Amino acid sequence: MKRLKKSLQLHRLAVVACSVLSFHFSALFSVVAAQTPPDTATPSVGLEQVSADSLGALRKTLTEDESLDADAKKLAGEQLDAAAAALKNEQRYQQTLQKLKQEAETAVEERARIEQLLAQSPAEFNPSLPPDATRENLQAEVTRAETEASEATQQRVALEVEIARRATRRATLPDLVTQSRAALVDINTQLEAKPPEGEPAIVTSVRKQTLRSRRQAVAAELALIEQEGPLYEASARLLTARRDLAARSEIEATRRLEARKLLLSKALRKEAEQQAIAARIAA
């Protein structure tokens, strides 16, 4: 049993060590040819695939197994937790890649639309003070304009951050490809190795399913990484156009805000003058 616990602990450390090879990134954005990873790097279609259902069935079997003590079951359960997390990562990588492809497919059309908007002259905004305007109404207009200006700034900043993130990310892609392929080789090596002497069958099943889950996640990440650079290149001009449009929207929103503040200031002065006149008349 000591040998079993040691085997489970060593495998848990391996799971933690390999998890650093997974990189989270948000994701968003012309049609490019998908680069297929070498057969030696990615699992083939014929390899056994792990699903949430199969992990759930294995967890049930683990729970009902009476040959393991509580500590061994806990360690095995943690491995299954890591396997479930790997499947979620796999799904996230696949969804991110799909979003990038979808945006690339519409990049040219959307960029042309945005450039047409940028070519148009900004709308004039010179509001006058309505005769029946109240302080409350004008203050509400200022509050709304402040919200619009803040949202416009946030959108512009978010796009600038994304542009910078992609530039940094693209520089790291070759290393990430190398790391992911090495991780797949390591996982396949572990799967092909004989189980440790004396390891119960249920523990072997948990360990191998965890490895297969990680293999699926790393393979999905590798597929994303290998296409990420070309997709970024295809949508680079679109992202710049979005940033330019957001910057102009920010300027226009700021002008509207200043105009609303000016109207409120005029209304407050007018109200103060009327109160002063009323006070003199009352005196």
Side-chain angles (χ1 to χ4, degrees):
M1 184 58 69
K2 290 183 178 180
R3 184 183 295 110
L4 170 59
K5 290 183 179 179
K6 183 177 181 180
S7 172
L8 288 168
Q9 290 170 344
L10 288 175
H11 183 65
R12 182 171 58 173
L13 291 174
V15 171
V16 174
C18 286
S19 65
V20 301
L21 296 175
S22 291
F23 292 82
H24 174 68
F25 51 87
S26 43
L28 290 175
F29 315 72
S30 202
V31 180
V32 295
Q35 303 176 5
T36 304
D39 293 338
T40 57
T42 56
S44 64
V45 176
L47 293 178
E48 178 181 348
Q49 296 291 295
V50 182
S51 67
D53 289 341
S54 64
L55 288 182
L58 185 56
R59 189 184 294 275
K60 183 176 183 296
T61 302
L62 174 66
T63 302
E64 296 173 350
D65 193 290
E66 298 180 354
S67 65
L68 301 180
D69 61 21
D71 290 340
K73 284 189 176 183
K74 180 180 179 182
L75 291 174
E78 291 173 354
Q79 292 181 41
L80 290 177
D81 291 339
L87 293 185
K88 291 182 179 180
N89 287 337
E90 176 192 20
Q91 184 179 36
R92 187 175 71 250
Y93 296 139
Q94 293 170 341
Q95 292 173 344
T96 300
L97 179 57
Q98 185 62 28
K99 289 180 180 179
L100 285 170
K101 289 181 176 180
Q102 289 174 350
E103 179 155 7
E105 291 173 357
T106 60
V108 175
E109 180 180 348
E110 184 179 353
R111 189 185 76 241
R113 180 184 62 80
I114 292 175
E115 289 177 347
Q116 286 180 348
L117 292 175
L118 290 171
Q120 298 173 4
S121 300
E124 293 292 333
F125 185 75
N126 296 306
S128 58
L129 183 64
D132 58 345
T134 64
R135 178 193 300 190
E136 292 75 14
N137 290 341
L138 292 173
Q139 183 60 63
E141 290 292 329
V142 169
T143 300
R144 186 177 68 178
E146 287 175 338
T147 299
E148 293 175 351
S150 176
E151 291 175 348
T153 298
Q154 291 175 14
Q155 184 177 15
R156 189 260 306 164
V157 170
L159 286 165
E160 290 179 345
V161 169
E162 177 63 12
I163 290 173
R165 185 197 71 79
R166 291 189 178 195
T168 301
R169 174 77 175 175
R170 289 182 66 179
T172 67
L173 292 178
D175 288 340
L176 297 181
V177 168
T178 300
Q179 292 174 17
S180 293
R181 288 178 176 171
L184 286 174
V185 171
D186 178 64
I187 292 172
N188 287 331
T189 299
Q190 293 184 58
L191 282 169
E192 294 170 1
K194 293 182 178 180
E197 183 181 354
E199 182 179 72
I202 182 63
V203 174
T204 301
S205 296
V206 168
R207 179 170 55 80
K208 287 187 175 293
Q209 287 294 78
T210 302
L211 287 168
R212 294 186 184 105
S213 299
R214 285 173 44 214
R215 180 172 62 186
Q216 290 174 208
V218 175
E221 183 179 21
L222 178 58
L224 171 60
I225 293 170
E226 290 189 319
Q227 298 183 65
E228 193 174 353
L231 288 169
Y232 282 170
E233 179 66 25
S235 58
R237 292 178 62 187
L238 169 61
L239 207 60
T240 300
R242 285 177 171 174
R243 189 271 318 278
D244 293 344
L245 182 61
R248 193 169 86 168
S249 297
E250 179 185 16
I251 292 173
E252 293 176 353
T254 301
R255 288 175 178 171
R256 289 194 296 271
L257 173 59
E258 294 305 318
R260 295 298 185 189
K261 286 182 176 180
L262 181 60
L263 290 180
L264 177 60
S265 178
K266 289 180 179 180
L268 292 176
R269 286 199 304 270
K270 182 178 180 180
E271 180 180 324
E273 291 171 357
Q274 291 174 342
Q275 290 176 349
I277 291 174
R280 287 196 299 268
I281 293 176

